[in-house]
Amino acid sequence: MSISIKAYRLSFWMAILGFFLFSAQIKGQNTVSISGKVVESETNEPLIGVNILVKGKVIGTITDVNGNYNLTVSQAPPLTLIFSMIGFASKEVEIADNEVSGLQVILEEQTMLGQEVVVSASRVEESILQSPVTIEKMDILDIRETASDTYYKAIANLKGVDVTSTSINFQILNARGFNSTGNTRFVQLTDGMDTQAPALNFPIGNLNGPSELDVESVEFIPGASSALYGPNAFNGILLINSKSPFEYQGLSAFYKQGINHVAGRAGEPVSPQPMFEGSLRYAHAFNNKFAFKVSATFMEAEDWYGTDQTDLNAGAQGDLSFNPGENRVHVFGDEVSNNIGLLRNVGAIQQQANAFGLGGYIASIPDQVVSRTGYDERDLVDYGAKNYKVSGALHYRLNDRAELSYTLNYGSGTSVYTGAQRYSLNNFNITQHKLELKTDNYFLRAYTTRENSGDSYIADLTGVNINDEWKGNAQWFGEYTLNYMGALALQQVSPGTLGSIEQQAEAHRFARTQADQGRYLPGTSEFQNAERNIRANFIPQGSLFNDRSRMYMAEGQYDFKNEIDFIDLQVGASYRIYDLRSNGTIFADVEGNDISVTEFGGYTQASKRILDEKLKITGSVRYDKNENFEGQFSPRISGVFTEGNNNFRLSYQTGFRMPTTQAQHIDLNVVSARLISGLPFYREKYNVFENAFSLASVQQYSEAVAAGASPVAASATNLLEQVEDLPALRPEQVNSIEIGYKGLLADNRLLIDMAYYYNIYNDFISQTAIRKAPGPVYPGASPATDQGAINAVNAPTLLTPVTIPGQENTFQTYTNIVDREVRAHGAVIGITYSLPNNYTIGGNYNFNRLITAFEEGFLSEFNTPEHKYNINFGNRKVAKNMGFNLSYRYQTAFRWESSFARGDVPEVHNVDAQVSYKLRSLKSVVKLGGSNIFNNRYFLNFGGPTIGAIYYLSITFDELLN
């Protein structure tokens, strides 16, 4: 059901008020005061920025620039202090007295692999070695030493990660198949906040995420995680944790200068283009009670260009040496096409042909699909990529056990996104506000995400509308057809005949040249004025989005570790509202038709160690309900058996994904079709199943006509497959079995992590397209029959997509595959070896395969290379103050399917490298590096931009740098 805006705003702010109702009161207690110094074991030099935390509480402090610390705790002794720092082994120290001074703690550099602590796998802290599922983690040092030009791109080196890119600043992550440029099967959280754009329902990469200076760690889990993280944690989850202002204080700064577009190809910049990125962060704490942080980031670059000239309508070419009906990948405006044979029966064409003395050539008009002349993407898309981000946080410790915080994340900029079309995201912005109360055993958080489409527009639609503003489709196709007949006459083709293939080709060339006389050309004032006008008007009159959608979320979790000791038990719940505000430019949320979607869910998880603590059994179950669909249960059970440093795991987990807000409510003309929701209301609105045929069969019919068959021939119409109904949209489920091993061998210098998974999907969500005829079509009917006569009127119309808003004949809709299970499986193995003298070598291999074959016309969108591997080699201390890192990535070629385009993605192999030097006196690190240093040109999704090398020089300052 739909709820009022006022009602759910009230509910949301009531959840925030609940924070304060749970806040513990500060009580008078005994106090303990501790002071001392932390030093490094080998050199006895002071360590700056060591985190010192009271075990079981939120209170703590850090060491200053001299390694000194002071801490007062409102608790009677004894208590335990935990001293920790990235790159060093943690140490626990018990305090038994009320006054302790001069306590020197010595930390040793961490040399043993696999000692990380993670929280994402079970939503509680645990050793990464004993995680019930495969998990990867990047810490501060991994982020600082990455060879990639950004830490976010470096995530591609992690085991099990698939990355695609639609822009230089827009990367999309995935795991275990079914990848896309808008991945709604994957969840990304930043400090617990879902980073999806409310109108899109998928993470927007790092466009509003923390800067490199503010990232503490990144955790990645491939596979279903719905049992703990709810809807759409289906293929995996990524957790980005930013730095606490209590634990990471002081000023830090970063600047990077780079170049790209080196040795550009045709249609790209002819000289290298500059890139800039910079960031500032400052954090400070007052008396371990109040702390704040602020950070700001900017990035500017010339984006990667889309230059693919592949013809998506090649089947309509027939025997001609070129295709008059071509629809090229990165050319916009040529999506509009028409079967000019239909004009034989148009009275106006007949009258004009007779007036020009060409009446005898009306029968010579072929059943040939012709498209309008398009514009290259570079003439329509803003390639001036930029990203500006501001974030801040206020933290207040109510007492030693409870911390209240407010967080703001803001990101804006310009990028390019590939969905059903190519979208130029101009001056968009997305803002998140969060309030959170956190203790050692529970948290409550409420946040909102608000997006603003700014000046974003559809590039494809811009090209279409420029053509239409210059000359309407009816006029252009009419002129084309008349000039085609005139060209046949000039070549002395006998009236009523088609002429030779060469004569037809010449007629098509002449017709296009004449019909395009006076066309607005890029660079001219006419073109610029038309483009400006179209981009200034909202869809459907123009190509501009008007989206202000919002999401509201409240969630909490309670850990009974302080009440129950025979079992580990956690419970949690969440409540989410999507408030769709596209103003009719994406959804059907026009004035007077407000659309909102409500979801809620809850979960519980219990774990127990048995067999002398060697076997840990964990079970969880979650229930979620979306107002438009039935509730979903998602259980998970896992076991981890530990013998020394060897950990064997087995898990059965389920997941589900709710249809996205677009799958539930989209109603958008995407030029090639009208994209509509899979809910019954929208199908009934357009009566989509009346005289409807699958687009896959229409394409076969079109190819038969292009090959010379008559559009009314029984052999041609028999290819058409009528669609009378499709399953109503519903949630999709996955059942996954995973078996794995993670352990330390060779005196703890060799870390091995391997896993195999087998997934079974039910009610798989897919998309399919249909095309409607204006009246009945009888497949296989003889032209000599009454049905054949009806076919002569209606069947040829299927050759032409009607793109006029409100008059479309092609519809793409969401549906489920209900007649079969979809199966996929895969395996990963990762190896890291710690060599002498601080050298480290590692790598991983990834295998993913779709087992089930999809029916033609339904998109599987598996979009994943079957084989992929990464190799890393580096040393953080190859010489005094110097380090380096090398990364090699390879993936096999694979087939890409999407609503935008289908085609093959060639194999990819590239090398990233960096060398860094620490300027201790300046508390800075200088890094020289490059991504894809050999400039191998590649693309990661069919229809995406061509990517080349990036070379950069950066400097990072941190006043707490050791």
Side-chain angles (χ1 to χ4, degrees), residues 394-458:
L394 303 174
H395 289 242
Y396 181 72
R397 287 173 172 168
L398 301 171
N399 53 41
D400 290 352
R401 294 184 178 275
E403 185 174 311
L404 183 67
S405 64
Y406 164 76
T407 301
L408 164 70
N409 289 334
Y410 171 85
S412 68
T414 295
S415 186
V416 182
Y417 160 59
T418 306
Q421 299 160 295
R422 288 277 278 175
Y423 304 107
S424 190
L425 305 181
N426 269 33
N427 302 317
F428 74 92
N429 68 72
I430 187 164
T431 307
Q432 292 186 298
H433 301 271
K434 180 185 73 166
L435 278 175
E436 182 171 23
L437 177 65
K438 194 171 185 178
T439 73
D440 70 317
N441 67 321
Y442 73 85
F443 71 80
L444 292 166
R445 72 170 64 103
Y447 62 91
T448 178
T449 304
R450 302 175 176 223
E451 66 178 271
N452 186 326
S453 57
D455 301 318
S456 301
Y457 61 95
I458 304 176

Side-chain angles (χ1 to χ4, degrees), residues 14 120 272 286 409 429 513 544 577 593 641 745 892 903 950:
M14 286 295 291
S120 54
F286 301 89
N409 289 334
N429 68 72
T513 300
L544 183 66
I577 299 169
N593 186 39
F641 182 79
L745 305 172
T892 54
I950 293 176

Side-chain angles (χ1 to χ4, degrees), residues 419-567:
Q421 299 160 295
R422 288 277 278 175
Y423 304 107
S424 190
L425 305 181
N426 269 33
N427 302 317
F428 74 92
N429 68 72
I430 187 164
T431 307
Q432 292 186 298
H433 301 271
K434 180 185 73 166
L435 278 175
E436 182 171 23
L437 177 65
K438 194 171 185 178
T439 73
D440 70 317
N441 67 321
Y442 73 85
F443 71 80
L444 292 166
R445 72 170 64 103
Y447 62 91
T448 178
T449 304
R450 302 175 176 223
E451 66 178 271
N452 186 326
S453 57
D455 301 318
S456 301
Y457 61 95
I458 304 176
D460 312 45
L461 188 56
T462 303
V464 169
N465 286 350
I466 291 174
N467 269 338
D468 196 51
E469 183 170 310
W470 162 63
K471 185 181 292 185
N473 292 328
Q475 180 182 348
W476 190 89
F477 283 111
E479 291 179 6
Y480 186 104
T481 304
L482 290 168
N483 280 287
Y484 181 89
M485 291 187 286
L488 292 180
L490 291 173
Q491 297 178 83
Q492 299 182 346
V493 173
S494 296
T497 65
L498 295 176
S500 67
I501 294 297
E502 291 75 14
Q503 290 171 323
Q504 292 178 53
E506 180 57 33
H508 280 296
R509 292 190 190 96
F510 180 80
R512 184 172 298 275
T513 300
Q514 296 303 116
D516 278 346
Q517 288 291 324
R519 180 172 175 263
Y520 296 163
L521 297 179
T524 64
S525 59
E526 293 86 357
F527 177 89
Q528 293 170 348
N529 290 335
E531 182 186 28
R532 187 181 305 112
N533 179 56
I534 291 161
R535 287 172 50 180
N537 285 285
F538 296 123
I539 299 169
Q541 288 75 24
S543 60
L544 183 66
F545 287 110
N546 185 19
D547 182 47
R548 305 292 187 273
S549 294
R550 299 176 179 180
M551 181 182 73
Y552 301 88
M553 179 80 171
E555 61 179 333
Q557 176 180 289
Y558 192 89
D559 189 335
F560 289 90
K561 65 181 182 180
N562 297 331
E563 293 82 14
I564 302 174
D565 56 10
F566 69 92
I567 195 172

Side-chain angles (χ1 to χ4, degrees), residues 33-94:
S33 297
I34 313 108
S35 63
K37 189 173 186 177
V38 182
V39 298
E40 198 264 338
S41 61
E42 290 187 7
T43 64
N44 207 39
E45 292 183 353
L47 288 175
I48 308 169
V50 175
N51 183 31
I52 305 165
L53 184 68
V54 180
K55 191 172 184 178
K57 296 192 175 186
V58 299
I59 191 170
T61 187
I62 63 170
T63 57
D64 61 20
V65 293
N66 297 311
N68 298 319
Y69 64 91
N70 289 278
L71 179 64
T72 299
V73 184
S74 299
Q75 175 184 326
L79 56 84
T80 301
L81 297 183
I82 303 173
F83 294 78
S84 63
M85 186 175 188
I86 298 297
F88 291 83
S90 298
K91 179 173 288 188
E92 294 189 3
V93 178
E94 186 168 326

Side-chain angles (χ1 to χ4, degrees), residues 561-581:
K561 65 181 182 180
N562 297 331
E563 293 82 14
I564 302 174
D565 56 10
F566 69 92
I567 195 172
D568 295 327
L569 178 66
Q570 299 85 36
V571 297
S574 63
Y575 183 78
R576 186 195 316 249
I577 299 169
Y578 293 101
D579 177 17
L580 304 183
R581 299 185 178 193

